[in-house]
Amino acid sequence: MSEQPGRIMAGEMAEQPTVLRRILEKGAPRIREAATAIAARRPRFVLLTARGTSDNAALYAKYLLEIQLGLPCGLTSMSTTTAYGARPDLTDVLVISVSQSGGSPDLVASTKAARDAGAITLAVTNNPDSPLAAVSEFHIDILAGPEKALPATKTYTASLLALYLLVEGLRGGDGAAAKALPDLASQVLTRQDEVRHLASRYRFAERMVITSRGYGYPTAKEAALKLMETSYIPALSYSGADLLHGPLAMVDNISPVIAVVTDGKGGEALQPVLDRLRGRGADLVVVGPRPQVEAASAGFVLPTESVPEELQPILEILPLQRLAYEVTIARGQDPDAPRALAKVTETH
């Protein structure tokens, strides 16, 4: 355990506004340069390759690419290449590999195979000297700085912003809507007492359900991952639509449910699910706009009024990272060093 449990994770969560600002000021021109070169190649399809937290960032990019650009996207199954030796024709396909370390052997191998199969390859990492960056044609450095806590926090939000700016570059946008994010993130992160109060609801939870739709769905998946890897609480993440197709049956009046409600079409699509959850008497906590929070058992109001729906995930995850931290501390564990985990996971 660290000298003070959670000291490293807390420090890295607090760095996020600075990291976001650094990307906007220093990283954006290089991201735009890569996006311009890729756009000129006119990719016909996009494949996203990642694992863990980076996989949730890749899912966010899938929503962006399909909604903003109309490009069909898929999330790759790396074992088709690394274990089964499949060699699909990837001519004119953009393969985006997202990895904090850029060191996992299966990511490197599948990206190299994709490039050999004719793909346009782009690595999005926190390490420009990584093996993944070396085998990719293009690279985006997310500029998060060293991340020492095992739970990824600042590299996740940095990846989201870098991917947003990439898509903006591909569509010829200027990314100006993101300029308010560092200040808004600072405001959210100062509200630690609110999150600590929410955490008291979950100290003895045996399981949790986290749900959302649209751009908020990757946030639900990432929040569940953070809770599981730090506090060891089984946290199940579902699209609101999938929740209604069976899993809703396990929700009762003692089941804690967190709903991530984006202020926009995703939140509107989630409304029938929220109504059903209230009807079942669920302990419903909402992270999102004020009206939705006020209609729930409890929640955390996000400053979404001037933030486009596609950028809200960068703010949504902040109180949920803190929630995982606070629940873990309350349970007497150290969120800096979850058991059985390593910072670089080497899968093949």
Side-chain angles (χ1 to χ4, degrees), residues 61-303:
K62 184 177 187 294
Y63 277 91
L64 281 173
L65 288 158
E66 291 187 340
I67 295 169
Q68 303 293 327
L69 294 181
L71 272 176
C73 298
L75 300 175
T76 60
S77 300
M78 281 176 272
S79 62
T80 60
T81 298
T82 60
Y84 292 93
R87 293 294 182 266
D89 180 4
L90 298 180
T91 305
D92 298 328
V93 173
L94 172 60
V95 172
I96 303 175
S97 302
V98 187
S99 171
Q100 299 149 40
S101 68
S104 185
D106 56 351
L107 276 163
V108 175
S110 63
T111 300
K112 184 178 184 302
R115 189 171 182 179
D116 291 344
I120 307 161
T121 52
L122 167 67
V124 179
T125 81
N126 196 37
N127 182 3
D129 299 319
S130 64
L132 182 60
V135 300
S136 300
E137 184 177 358
F138 299 97
H139 176 256
I140 289 175
D141 185 354
I142 63 173
L143 300 174
E147 188 173 58
K148 297 180 180 179
L150 285 175
T153 55
K154 63 179 182 175
T155 52
Y156 179 69
T157 49
S159 295
L160 296 191
L161 180 54
L163 289 164
Y164 169 79
L165 292 173
L166 169 69
V167 174
E168 278 290 282
L170 290 173
R171 66 193 291 259
D174 60 8
K179 290 182 179 179
L181 285 176
D183 289 340
L184 291 172
S186 293
Q187 294 172 25
V188 171
L189 289 169
T190 60
R191 295 160 57 191
Q192 297 176 15
D193 289 345
E194 292 181 51
V195 180
R196 196 170 295 119
H197 176 72
L198 286 177
S200 65
R201 307 171 74 92
Y202 306 121
R203 181 176 180 180
F204 301 108
E206 295 183 1
R207 70 166 185 257
M208 296 175 64
V209 173
I210 307 175
T211 187
S212 188
R213 290 203 69 180
Y215 285 113
Y217 181 43
T219 307
K221 290 176 67 67
E222 175 62 11
L225 177 59
K226 284 292 155 287
L227 282 159
M228 288 190 288
E229 69 183 356
T230 56
S231 70
Y232 318 141
I233 297 174
L236 308 173
S237 59
Y238 294 100
S239 157
D242 288 333
L243 185 62
L244 296 183
H245 284 265
L248 183 68
M250 70 179 172
V251 175
D252 53 30
N253 59 5
I254 60 171
S255 300
V257 179
I258 298 175
V260 180
V261 184
T262 55
D263 190 0
K265 293 180 179 179
E268 293 170 8
L270 190 64
Q271 189 60 52
V273 183
L274 301 179
D275 294 340
R276 290 284 297 276
L277 289 168
R278 293 188 190 99
R280 293 189 62 82
D283 177 14
L284 178 62
V285 168
V286 166
V287 174
R290 184 173 298 280
Q292 296 289 353
V293 172
E294 291 177 345
S297 305
F300 189 98
V301 176
L302 288 173

